[in-house]
Structure formats: C-alpha cells, structure tokens
Amino acid sequence: MSKKIKPFILHCGLLWGILFFPIIINAQQKVHGYVMDGTTGESLPGANVVLLPSGSGTTTNPFGYFSFYLTDSTRKMAISYIGYQTLELKTISIPDSTLFIKLKPGYLLDDIEIKATRDLHNLPATSIGEIKLRAQDFSHAGSILGEPDLMKTLQTLPGISQGKEGSSELYVRGGGAGHNLIMLDRAPVYNINHAFGLLSVFNVDALKETTIYKGSIPARFGGRLSSVVDVWGREGNDNNTRGSIFMSTVGTGLTLEGPYKKSKSSWLVSVRRSWPDLLYSGLQSLGNNGRFVPGISFHDINARSNFRIGNDRLFISFYSGGDKFFVRSKTRENKTAYQLKWGNYLGSAGYTSALSPSLFLHGLVYFSSYFDREESTLSGQEQNNLFERKSIFNELGAKLTTDWQLNTHHLLKTGLEGTQRWFSPASTIQENGEGKQSIQGTEVENGTISLFGESLWSPDRWRINTGFRLVHEFGENSQNTSILPRFSANYKLTPAITLKAGGMLSQQSFHVLSKSTSGWPGYFYVPVSKGGESATSKEVSSGLSLTPTSLLSIDVQAYLRRYRNIAARYEIPAGAFEQIDWDQQMKTGDGKSAGIEILGQYSHNQWKADVAYTLSKTTYRFEAYNNGKWFPGDYDRRHDFHFNLTFQLKSQKEIKRNINLDFNYRTGQPVTLPSAWIPASPPPLLENAYWYDFSFISHYSGPNNARMPDYHRLDITYETTKKKTRGERTLSFGLYNVYNRRNTYLIYYDSDAAHYKNMTLFPVMPFVMLKRTF
C-alpha cells in the first residue's frame, strides 16, 4: 500500500468514528414496512410516516420502505403522501411484523389531516440543493410542441440554465451539460435528447418521481461535478390491466401495464415515436419527385418487470431510444444520402431485501451504451462512395447499498460501487472506387471503485447529513485514490423558518465534449488524457426556507463553487468530432460560479403560482485561451427568471378545466464573434481555385466575447380532463411564444448584407395533445 493511500484509510476510519457516533440502540418497539398505492400496488417513495402527538417520524425510501422505533408517548401513526388520503393507525394495534400500508388516491381535507400536516416539526426536511418532483409536477408541463417533458420542467427551477432554446440539456450552477449524473432507476443515462433537444428521452407516462440535487450532493452519489438527477420509473399495476394512449403535435405514444400474477408481480411497457416525419417525408417525396427529402425522427421504449419474492423485490428494466436526422436526394445519375443517428441503450436488474426490520439492502447491475454515428453515401452509375464517423461509449456497473435504521433519529447508509468504461471517441471509414480506408481513434478503458458512508442524524430540530466517498480510479491513462467529503445540515429555527447549509467535494474521471463549437448538436465521451488529472468541484452553500402560512413557501439559497481541470475546445471553426487525435485537441482549465437562487410557491383555492429567480455569474480560465485570463462561461446568465400561474376554471369529480400561463426571461447567452477584421490578400497563385474570401481575416479577442440578445417568452395552455366510463380523456392546446418574440437561436454572418444576423427557429406556434387512459 502506498504511503499516500495509508493516510486516506486512517482518515476514513477516523471520519467514520466521528460522523457516526450517535448510535443508541434501545429496546423500543420497532415498526417497519412498505407504503403502497392501494389501487395499483406501486410503492410510494417519500411518503411521510409521522408519530403522533410528537410529530417526529421518517419518510419512505425509493422502494417505499420505512423503519423506525416507537417512543413511549406515541399513540398513533399517520401515513400521508401528496394526492392520497391520510391513514392513521393506533400503535396498540400495530403487529410485530412487516406492514403493507395501502393508501387510497384522493384527498380527505378533514381536521385530522390538517393537524397531521401542521405537526411535522421533527420530520426530516428537504436538504439544501435538493428538490423533489412527483409525477403530477411534470405531467402537465409542456415542451415546445405541447408534450409534457421532465427535463423542460427541471429547467424552470432556480440554479438550472436551459442552454439554447428548445434544448434538453441542464447547466447547473456553472457546470456543463456533461457534468450531471442523470439516472433511471439508479442506472446512468448518457443521451437525454430527442430531436436535437426539443424533447428529452424520458416518457412521463413511464415515470413516478424525480429528485434533483443541485448542490451538497449526498455521499451515496458520485462521479459528476454539478448535479444528480435521480429518476424513478413506474412499476406497473399489479392488480388490473390498464393503459393510455396519446397523440401530440410532435409524437404519439402507448403505455400498457398489468399483473403477471395479482399482488405478486407486474409489468409495464411504454413506447413513443415521432409521427410528423412520416407525413412530411412522404409529401416531400411526392412534391419534389423524390429529389430532395429531409427529415428527423425519434423513438423510445421503456419496459419493466417487478416480482415480489416474499418481502423481497426483484425488478428488471430496459430502455432503448434513438434519433435519426436524414437528407436524401435523387437524380437520374446519382443517389445521395446523409444521416446522423444517436441514442442510448440501458438494461438493469435490481434486488431489494429487508434483511431485518432495521437493515434494508439494494443491489443493482446495469449496462449503459451511448452511440453517435454520422454517415453519407453517394451511389451512381460511375462511382459508389461511403463515409462514416462514429463514437461509442459503454459502461458496465454494479452497486450494493444498505440502509441501517440505528434508532429513531439515526439512519446510516453504506455502499460499494464499481464501474468499467470503454471509450471509442472517434473513428472513420471511407470507401470509394479505389478501396476502403479505416482510421481508428484511440480506444481507452478506465474504471472506478467507490466506497461510501453516509449518516443522517435527526435529533430534535436538526437534520444533519455527513458522509464521504472513498474513490479509486484506474485505467490506461491514470490512477488516483481520493476522499470526497459531503455535508449538509438543516435547523428548524421555528415551525415556519428552517436554516440550511452544506458543502461538497466532487470528482469526475471523464470529459464530455461538444462535437462542434459552431452549434452542431451532439457530444462524445473521452477519458482523462494521459498524465492528466480528474476534474473536481468544490462548493459551499447556505440558505433558508420560509413557510409563513400553509399557502406560501419561499426558499432562498446562495452558493460558491469552484471547478478544476474541466475540458473544453474553443478553436474557430471547431469540429472536434472530426479529430482522431482528440487527446491532443482537448484543453483543460478552471471555472468558478457564484449565485443566489429564490423559489417561491403560492396556492389559494383555484390559484397556484410558482416564481423562480437566479442571480449568478460563471467564468472560466484556460491557459490556452484569452491569454490565461478569466472569461464568461458558456452558459453564464446574470439573470434567469421564470413565472408560472395555473388557474382552475372548474374542478369537479367528473370534469376539470384549467388554464396555465408560463413566462421565461433570461440574460443572453455568451457567444464568440470576431472582434475585428484584418485586411489581407489571397494566395499569389490559383486565386480562383479558393472559395474563401481572403480580402479580410476575422480576429477573435477571446472565447465568449459577445452575448446574444436577452431571451423572453410567454406560453399559454388550456387543459380539460373528463372522466369516462373507464379511464379519462385529456385535451390540451395552446400557443408557444404568444407574442412572437424573435429570440436568437444562432448568430451568423450574411455575406450579401455584409453584417451579422440573428437566426430565429421558434416563432409563435400552436400545439395540441389528446390523451386517453383506459
């Protein structure tokens, strides 16, 4: 064992002893079990389990499991979940065995439920940087063309920037799109874009809940710098066969679910595909006699099976999604075709078991694969040419985690994780009449082994989360062992005021590079270059939550974050995807970001309003650019404001109608433009052989030296839901960009007009979606 690793191990043991000291085992009665939907049998993660009259309690884990000790003063236990009727149990009648608690959908606004919600003084509060979203939070939020979208909902939260209009990427607290750990059932997803980002790959009909950690990320998550998006899919109805079908302006989908064996096992399958490409391509083929046909399409499939083996659970999940952009043309002599394909495959299997009332185990194995392939062909009477570029990234991983409920106020989480990654960032194949030429880029493997410990201690008004990750990285390019501490704390000053603080150190052993700085979509994944260091980020944050009334809540947070060894490429023009020697083209540097985030929510009778505002500044520094001076980050936005207002026009058992207004404003995105034009002259020979105008050469003062105009937009949506004999029918329609703001998507140089112009892609657009459940 090296001299450098020994102190880490000693520190690890010392931290374990200090952080997890409040272990008090007593002989109190222990209560444990699962909270489930009484109609579908699906687990309810994050359900509140509260002891009355003390108001202390816990929440269920992602699998609906809970465990805690009863106190001598406990008389009742209240179980609640948003959108479900609260259930109360007398502790004297609770059996000494695993409980299966089934909640009924719907609200019972009686005095008991209101009192229960007001008495949750000691219930663990949401940590700083953490936001939970249930299915109802993102099932009504529209994308550009009206279809509900999870990532578009996350982009409306403070501290999260959208990037370009219509994109699905998340830029969190100064980080890049590749600095986020996005998981489906705890397995990583590496492509989140459909149709260049107009939609994300997550079909909301197959999702149950999502938690995003913008900062102070718990020790159980690692491998990324900026954030964690923890998405959980639905398990399927284990009582009855159900389904839904929808059609929107951009796509259509079908979801089916049902039991293999009632109350024992279930299945769910959800498929989605774009449909306008089929119609458009056909019309183009007829109208242009097949000479020029462009198109774009996407599809995804979610499938899941769940089995109950006694009190244990086994689940198997599969996801497949892909996109294709193509252009085809045909003449009498030749046929040409260009297509760009990208997508993600994901398979996972997990097993959960309550080894004892206080010890819960979860094991997971998964395989995730991302691909990006570009291909052009020319076939004719005299020649046949083929050119192909491709990038592939594969990851195989396993996780084993345990939850130990040591006593009523202390939960200990531990785990071991291992990953192996295979990088093939860039390779080309070229074939013509003279033969076939293949250029294979550098293929690299690396892996990580991580051990984590996390202590959640909730004495009285405190909720303290301390933990660390011990990470060992190994591979062909580098080896490294490090300890990454994590900390967050909440203190309930009064029933209406909660103080929060936190800090973290994160590390990432690979980089995600854009294919081109000119705006062409797509990414490819590369490991840390030989002799280089992993990227790291440090953050400290603080804030407070205010709930002056049951109708109003306000959350304010401030953060400071520092990045090291992040990767980028700012050459003009840039085509990183075309470079086989990517490790020579990549540059690394530092970044820093600071900001204040405000989230306010108000609801009263038929009204519900959400306000999100971020004031922030993000800068980068690379020795290779801008003479080593700081410059604005890629998605640095001084102001980012979002306002959403929902008004219920009608709310009855048989029919519901509401109208929604959604307004967005944000500072213009940084962009790199020439700062001067230098007179020049063409080459002395063969001047007419060059297409480029050599009379002037553009000079760039540095990356991100200009900004696009500020962005703002208003959307309006009307939605009506009507109960049918079996299921419901939902119709929604509205306008995107109501006042037709010509927001800039891209700035380009118009040689005819001899100046730069703004390109707008999304003017005022109507949208409609029809959904039927059965």
Side-chain angles (χ1 to χ4, degrees):
M1 183 179 294
S2 70
K3 295 182 179 180
K4 292 184 177 180
I5 297 180
K6 286 183 178 179
F8 287 158
I9 303 300
L10 293 176
H11 291 156
C12 178
L14 181 61
L15 283 171
W16 197 288
I18 294 175
L19 299 179
F20 308 142
F21 78 92
I23 303 176
I24 305 173
I25 304 297
N26 52 38
Q28 296 170 318
Q29 181 183 354
K30 191 177 299 181
V31 179
H32 64 282
Y34 295 87
V35 180
M36 302 177 293
D37 183 308
T39 303
T40 66
E42 293 191 79
S43 62
L44 297 179
N48 296 323
V49 184
V50 184
L51 304 181
L52 301 177
S54 67
S56 62
T58 186
T59 58
T60 57
N61 70 9
F63 307 96
Y65 184 80
F66 70 92
S67 174
F68 62 89
Y69 292 85
L70 295 178
T71 62
D72 295 336
S73 61
T74 302
R75 297 294 179 265
K76 293 182 181 181
M77 185 173 71
I79 304 95
S80 63
Y81 190 81
I82 295 178
Y84 289 77
Q85 299 176 17
T86 297
L87 177 65
E88 287 194 356
L89 299 175
K90 293 182 179 181
T91 55
I92 194 173
S93 62
I94 296 178
D96 188 17
S97 60
T98 303
L99 300 178
F100 293 92
I101 300 172
K102 298 184 178 182
L103 300 184
K104 296 181 180 180
Y107 291 97
L108 285 180
L109 297 178
D110 53 21
D111 293 338
I112 294 176
E113 180 175 358
I114 293 173
K115 184 177 186 302
T117 58
R118 290 177 178 173
D119 283 346
L120 309 186
H121 301 320
N122 298 324
L123 194 67
T126 302
S127 300
I128 188 167
E130 176 185 354
I131 298 178
K132 289 183 178 291
L133 298 176
R134 305 268 165 69
Q136 59 266 32
D137 297 322
F138 49 77
S139 60
H140 299 285
S143 68
I144 282 184
L145 295 175
E147 187 174 325
D149 191 271
L150 171 62
M151 305 307 286
K152 295 294 188 294
T153 303
L154 295 178
Q155 289 171 349
T156 66
L157 300 175
I160 303 175
S161 180
Q162 177 182 11
K164 286 190 174 183
E165 182 177 19
S167 67
S168 294
E169 284 93 354
L170 304 179
Y171 297 84
V172 181
R173 293 186 172 179
H179 294 156
N180 307 303
L181 175 59
I182 301 175
M183 300 178 293
L184 178 61
D185 298 331
R186 292 286 163 90
V189 178
Y190 285 99
N191 171 56
I192 63 170
N193 288 318
H194 273 325
F196 298 130
L198 294 182
L199 287 173
S200 72
V201 298
F202 294 110
N203 183 350
V204 298
D205 288 339
L207 303 182
K208 179 163 54 177
E209 75 155 21
T210 298
T211 303
I212 182 168
Y213 300 88
K214 299 182 296 180
S216 299
I217 299 172
R220 57 186 177 273
F221 302 115
R224 303 297 189 278
L225 303 181
S226 288
S227 74
V228 172
V229 181
D230 191 15
V231 183
W232 287 93
R234 294 184 51 228
E235 301 158 16
N237 193 318
D238 67 2
N239 291 316
N240 299 287
T241 301
R242 293 287 185 264
S244 66
I245 187 170
F246 78 87
M247 188 171 189
S248 70
T249 314
V250 67
T252 184
L254 173 67
T255 300
L256 296 173
E257 58 184 309
Y260 291 115
K261 185 177 181 180
K262 282 193 175 185
S263 301
K264 293 294 184 180
S265 56
S266 62
W267 56 269
L268 181 144
V269 177
S270 185
V271 296
R272 183 173 58 161
R273 194 199 188 282
S274 58
W275 65 265
D277 59 293
L278 302 175
L279 177 63
Y280 178 71
S281 298
L283 294 176
Q284 284 286 348
S285 298
L286 294 175
N288 295 323
N289 198 25
R291 296 196 176 190
F292 178 73
V293 182
I296 185 170
S297 65
F298 68 84
H299 73 276
D300 54 51
I301 302 172
N302 287 271
R304 177 163 173 160
S305 294
N306 299 271
F307 305 91
R308 295 182 186 176
I309 306 171
N311 292 336
D312 298 348
R313 311 285 180 93
L314 169 68
F315 69 85
I316 301 172
S317 297
F318 172 77
Y319 168 82
S320 172
D323 288 67
K324 181 171 72 172
F325 169 75
F326 61 89
V327 177
R328 297 192 297 264
S329 64
K330 178 181 179 181
T331 64
R332 293 182 179 179
E333 294 81 15
N334 298 308
K335 293 181 180 179
T336 61
Y338 170 83
Q339 63 180 10
L340 173 64
K341 295 181 179 180
W342 69 95
N344 199 103
Y345 299 103
L346 174 64
S348 64
Y351 191 86
T352 66
S353 176
L355 301 179
S356 71
S358 57
L359 179 59
F360 186 87
L361 179 142
H362 173 223
L364 177 74
V365 293
Y366 67 85
F367 178 76
S368 185
S369 177
Y370 168 79
F371 66 90
D372 189 309
R373 183 175 293 108
E374 194 173 352
E375 181 181 290
S376 61
T377 59
L378 170 64
S379 59
Q381 299 176 356
E382 299 182 357
Q383 59 180 342
N384 291 289
N385 295 333
L386 167 68
F387 183 76
E388 178 183 293
R389 298 189 189 99
K390 63 180 179 179
S391 172
I392 299 175
F393 172 64
N394 295 323
E395 177 175 313
L396 177 66
K399 302 179 180 182
L400 183 65
T401 62
T402 60
D403 292 359
W404 291 354
Q405 190 70 51
L406 302 177
N407 56 52
T408 302
H409 301 294
H410 192 200
L411 173 65
L412 177 64
K413 294 176 178 284
T414 61
L416 178 66
E417 301 177 4
T419 61
Q420 180 71 26
R421 302 184 181 98
W422 294 267
F423 301 85
S424 180
S427 61
T428 64
I429 298 175
Q430 188 169 357
E431 185 175 350
N432 52 36
E434 299 179 357
K436 182 178 180 180
Q437 182 181 10
S438 177
I439 303 177
Q440 188 68 32
T442 305
E443 295 187 1
V444 182
E445 296 182 25
N446 74 12
T448 59
I449 297 176
S450 303
L451 172 69
F452 74 84
E454 186 179 333
S455 169
L456 286 82
W457 190 30
S458 306
D460 298 326
R461 297 178 180 273
W462 286 92
R463 184 178 191 268
I464 302 174
N465 186 327
T466 55
F468 66 91
R469 291 182 70 87
L470 177 64
V471 181
H472 176 65
E473 300 173 352
F474 57 91
E476 301 174 24
N477 289 342
S478 63
Q479 291 200 23
N480 177 50
T481 302
S482 55
I483 289 181
L484 309 175
R486 310 287 175 83
F487 170 79
S488 67
N490 294 359
Y491 178 70
K492 209 168 198 45
L493 187 64
T494 70
I497 302 176
T498 300
L499 305 179
K500 303 180 180 183
M504 69 173 188
L505 175 62
S506 298
Q507 186 169 295
Q508 185 166 330
S509 61
F510 63 91
H511 302 296
V512 185
L513 299 180
S514 175
K515 286 170 55 176
S516 173
T517 59
S518 61
W520 191 248
Y523 299 91
F524 66 99
Y525 294 79
V526 299
V528 174
S529 58
K530 191 171 184 179
E533 297 181 6
S534 296
T536 60
S537 69
K538 300 177 182 179
E539 183 193 85
V540 292
S541 56
S542 62
L544 62 90
S545 295
L546 304 173
T547 54
T549 71
S550 59
L551 307 177
L552 175 65
S553 64
I554 301 173
D555 187 84
V556 182
Q557 298 182 21
Y559 72 90
L560 293 171
R561 181 178 285 185
R562 194 70 181 261
Y563 296 94
R564 289 189 65 252
N565 299 318
I566 56 176
R569 189 172 187 268
Y570 289 104
E571 278 75 10
I572 305 295
F577 189 60
E578 301 175 4
Q579 303 292 336
I580 300 300
D581 57 339
W582 52 267
D583 52 338
Q584 303 298 321
Q585 303 294 326
M586 183 176 61
K587 305 295 190 300
T588 58
D590 301 333
K592 57 184 179 181
S593 182
I596 298 175
E597 304 165 358
I598 302 174
L599 177 63
Q601 297 177 319
Y602 176 79
S603 60
H604 179 65
N605 296 332
Q606 296 97 339
W607 296 91
K608 184 178 183 298
D610 298 299
V611 177
Y613 173 70
T614 305
L615 173 66
S616 64
K617 182 178 181 180
T618 300
T619 53
Y620 295 160
R621 181 177 64 185
F622 291 78
E623 293 298 331
Y625 305 117
N626 200 37
N627 298 318
K629 299 178 181 179
W630 292 94
F631 59 88
D634 291 347
Y635 290 94
D636 168 53
R637 301 189 190 278
R638 196 70 68 249
H639 305 283
D640 199 325
F641 174 79
H642 175 258
F643 174 73
N644 182 275
L645 177 65
T646 301
F647 178 70
Q648 286 188 345
L649 301 173
K650 192 171 187 178
S651 181
Q652 297 178 353
K653 186 176 181 180
E654 299 298 325
I655 189 168
K656 295 180 181 179
R657 298 192 183 105
N658 62 69
I659 189 168
N660 179 274
L661 298 177
D662 194 87
F663 177 76
N664 291 272
Y665 169 84
R666 53 181 177 266
T667 304
Q669 171 190 333
V671 63
T672 304
L673 296 176
S675 54
W677 296 89
I678 303 174
S681 58
L685 300 175
L686 301 176
E687 176 180 349
N688 296 330
Y690 294 90
W691 63 269
Y692 189 81
D693 182 7
F694 286 94
S695 57
F696 288 92
I697 297 177
S698 56
H699 171 71
Y700 298 86
S701 60
N704 297 334
N705 58 358
R707 283 188 182 271
M708 294 183 179
D710 290 355
Y711 178 97
H712 52 87
R713 187 191 83 238
L714 174 68
D715 305 334
I716 184 170
T717 305
Y718 173 82
E719 182 179 273
T720 176
T721 300
K722 186 176 182 180
K723 280 190 173 292
K724 295 293 185 178
T725 305
R726 184 173 181 181
E728 296 178 339
R729 183 208 65 199
T730 300
L731 173 66
S732 60
F733 56 87
L735 286 176
Y736 177 89
N737 195 3
V738 172
Y739 52 86
N740 197 30
R741 163 71 175 178
R742 299 182 66 82
N743 289 302
T744 301
Y745 184 82
L746 188 68
I747 298 177
Y748 69 98
Y749 184 76
D750 188 334
S751 57
D752 295 332
H755 64 79
Y756 281 91
K757 290 186 176 181
N758 298 333
M759 176 188 292
T760 298
L761 289 188
F762 306 106
V764 57
M765 294 186 297
F767 59 82
V768 63
M769 189 184 80
L770 178 64
K771 182 177 180 179
R772 181 71 162 86
T773 62
F774 52 88

